[in-house]
Amino acid sequence: MISEETIQRVAEANDIVDVIGSYFPLKRAGSSFRAICPFHREKSPSFHVNPARQSYHCFGCGAGGGVLRFVMDYEHLDFPTAVRRLAQRAGVPIIEEAGGADEDRQRGLRQRLLALHAEASGWFHSNLLKSPAASRARDYLKSRGITGDIARSWQLGYAPDSWDALLVFLEGRKFSQEEIARSGLASSKEEGDQGNLYSRFRDRVMFPIRNDYGEVVAFSGRVLDPEAKTAKYVNSPETPLFTKGRVLYGLDKTKRDLIEKNTAIVCEGQLDLISAYEAGIRNVIAPQGTAFTGDQARLLRRFVETVLLCFDSDNAGQQAAGRSLPALLGQGLAVKVVELPGGEDPDSLIRKRGPEAFLEAVSRAKDFFDHATDKAEAAGELADPAGKSRLVRRLGPPLALIQDAALRESVLGRLATRLALPHATIRAVMKPPASQETSGDDQPVVVETITFSPGMRILCQLALGSREVREWLRAQEPAAGLDPQGGLLDKIARADYEDGNPAAMTGFLSTLGGIEERAFSSLDLSRMLIDPLARARETWAGLITQKLLQEVEGLKNKLARPGLSAEERVKIQKQILDLKIRVSDGSRPFQ
Ligand SMILES: [Zn+2]
């Protein structure tokens, strides 16, 4: 548990315009800032950031809240991690309170695994630089143009050909067998058998895989012996730190350049990416040997609008390009294909003919659909109707995924012209985009809302804006019994922050939960605050009256039931009378 004071200080120390502006550009619009909403698909910006309130709100999908909520939702982080990240950004020390054992354990494990990965990465790296056993690895990297400086910059490493050297090292650093097993760096013959762990990576060049924040969360190991009977690449398994298909290799280093160029060059392998980056072509990322997932595409969409696929021209590379397409188009990204001359990959092309040759190929990138049509034409497939039909059936479904209607129509028109087919023929094989969702979590992240009774909404607003109202509410009966959202009002009443401090208020709100925070993200509290206490008393009295009248209605229904004894009827009638007296008393504000 992080103390409430720390949360407030973190919220105050991180200006919401600075923080959101570091993820994507914000345009000034009067007293607030605007952008295309990152939480739902839209063409014109309805995402507003208000510096005076230190909050954001999207009028399209209802997303909203303070700076902590933004970081949680945008980075898919839990609350404590978001607080830590922003605390680190602003240099605010974290003050912990004793908290739920389960949450502590989860967080503790994550921290331990991060520390373990950092240690392991350092160990692999120093092996590569110094160990005599790593001479073959060094030779291999040299042959691929990787100098010592480059290896240091990417913290490349070497895993020795040993079943237990890493384990001995990690045990020496006081990591437990369980932690080592959970890290995925070791496995056992039998699942869960922590007594017989052995290193997963042996005699491999090690590439640390970092999340977009730069923390090592996994490894990819490349085999050295080309004749080896094992997989060319071995990756970490899924762990509490690492989910396959969520991480893009290189992103922590390249995100600035991606934003600047608004275009990502997608390489297949880590070495391709490193070669391009070190040759000065820095808007690069690698999905790591697999086709793009919906999560990776969404991650990339935060930084760029156009993706240039630079996969091998062999079959596997082309298939990976095709499989990446639905996820990328589904996120509204424009997809082009870079064809490298003579079957080269980016790494070999740059080494043989320099970065200019690579950039030249990049500049000739073609729209995916044009590229596919060219390929089919070159293969003689368009000469007969059957070949044309195959191409149309292959391109129809991804064509339907293009988000921008104007762009979709223009691609469709070009294809129809080249194939000399009516538009309707192509349209017939295009499924409607709605049925083409590539991943279930592509929907906007926010849909749920809270419905407030009018009185409860006013009271929550007054309580959020005025300390005096909060103090008064704490002296009343709990609101939880009065209204479905009364529990929320009770929580607000207990909040401790100064009036007129929007950052502290949004900091507090982010402790409530996403739906609750969203419900308040669009409020203008300043209008509420003329004599807030008087308004609160009046509204509170109204709520109590409403509650009493509901009870009267309930009793009247009971009275209408058949089979009541005379005695019971009299008792209920007396209760009704009592309630009515309380209602008429209640028309005067409570003390
Ligand atoms: Zn939105």
Side-chain angles (χ1 to χ4, degrees), residues 191-269:
E191 202 170 335
D193 178 7
Q194 287 166 16
N196 285 306
L197 293 174
Y198 61 87
S199 299
R200 175 182 297 272
F201 300 97
R202 297 176 307 279
D203 194 23
R204 283 171 186 268
V205 172
M206 300 297 286
F207 297 86
I209 297 170
R210 296 168 190 271
N211 58 21
D212 62 316
Y213 202 55
E215 296 162 331
V216 178
V217 293
F219 289 93
S220 179
R222 191 193 190 283
V223 75
L224 269 174
D225 180 1
E227 304 299 313
K229 299 265 182 300
T230 54
K232 193 169 164 197
Y233 282 95
V234 168
N235 293 320
S236 292
E238 305 230 331
T239 68
L241 292 183
F242 177 59
T243 310
K244 275 180 198 160
R246 285 258 173 101
V247 179
L248 289 169
Y249 185 73
L251 187 60
D252 60 305
K253 277 193 160 58
T254 65
K255 52 181 153 180
R256 285 280 138 221
D257 296 275
L258 295 176
I259 292 170
E260 230 165 72
K261 299 270 181 356
N262 200 15
T263 297
I265 301 171
V266 178
C267 302
E268 247 177 302

Side-chain angles (χ1 to χ4, degrees), residues 373-583:
T373 314
D374 287 352
K375 282 273 218 195
E377 190 168 40
E381 275 186 60
L382 304 188
D384 64 292
K388 278 190 196 178
S389 163
R390 272 198 305 277
L391 180 68
V392 166
R393 267 176 293 146
R394 202 165 74 228
L395 295 186
L399 186 54
L401 283 170
I402 299 178
Q403 302 290 304
D404 184 326
L407 182 61
R408 191 166 62 237
E409 287 305 306
S410 97
V411 173
L412 173 76
R414 278 208 307 278
L415 194 58
T417 308
R418 282 192 68 180
L419 301 182
L421 288 173
H423 286 209
T425 308
I426 300 172
R427 239 183 263 285
V429 295
M430 288 169 58
K431 292 193 198 108
S435 66
Q436 288 279 332
E437 280 293 345
T438 50
S439 119
D441 48 7
D442 269 342
Q443 276 82 36
V445 287
V446 271
V447 273
E448 296 167 279
T449 49
I450 291 181
T451 347
F452 287 95
S453 66
M456 189 51 65
R457 175 176 279 278
I458 291 172
L459 276 168
C460 286
Q461 295 180 26
L462 289 165
L464 279 170
S466 158
R467 173 167 225 154
E468 195 185 13
V469 169
R470 292 198 295 277
E471 277 166 6
W472 180 79
L473 279 170
R474 287 203 290 271
Q476 311 306 308
E477 62 176 289
L482 283 179
D483 185 282
Q485 302 304 339
L488 183 54
L489 182 65
D490 291 334
K491 279 191 205 159
I492 296 172
R494 289 194 295 270
D496 182 30
Y497 56 85
E498 295 299 326
D499 289 353
N501 184 343
M505 184 184 85
T506 59
F508 160 72
L509 279 174
S510 54
T511 65
L512 292 177
I515 305 170
E516 289 79 2
E517 187 177 4
R518 219 146 48 224
F520 299 114
S521 66
S522 62
L523 298 183
D524 185 359
L525 295 172
S526 57
R527 281 187 303 139
M528 306 285 305
L529 295 176
I530 300 157
D531 203 353
L533 186 55
R535 251 192 109 178
R537 287 178 173 194
E538 200 180 305
T539 315
W540 180 260
L543 272 185
I544 299 240
T545 303
Q546 220 171 9
K547 172 87 180 160
L548 294 175
L549 289 174
Q550 270 170 18
E551 281 175 35
V552 170
E553 282 309 302
L555 287 170
K556 278 183 178 167
N557 287 339
K558 217 167 155 187
L559 208 54
R561 268 185 231 152
L564 287 178
S565 70
E567 201 181 333
E568 283 167 324
R569 300 182 75 83
V570 169
K571 197 176 149 202
I572 295 173
Q573 275 163 342
K574 180 160 183 324
Q575 284 172 329
I576 292 178
L577 194 63
D578 284 349
L579 283 171
K580 282 186 172 169
I581 291 168
R582 282 179 60 197
V583 168

Side-chain angles (χ1 to χ4, degrees), residues 37 40 58 61:
C37 177
H40 83 285
C58 171
C61 67

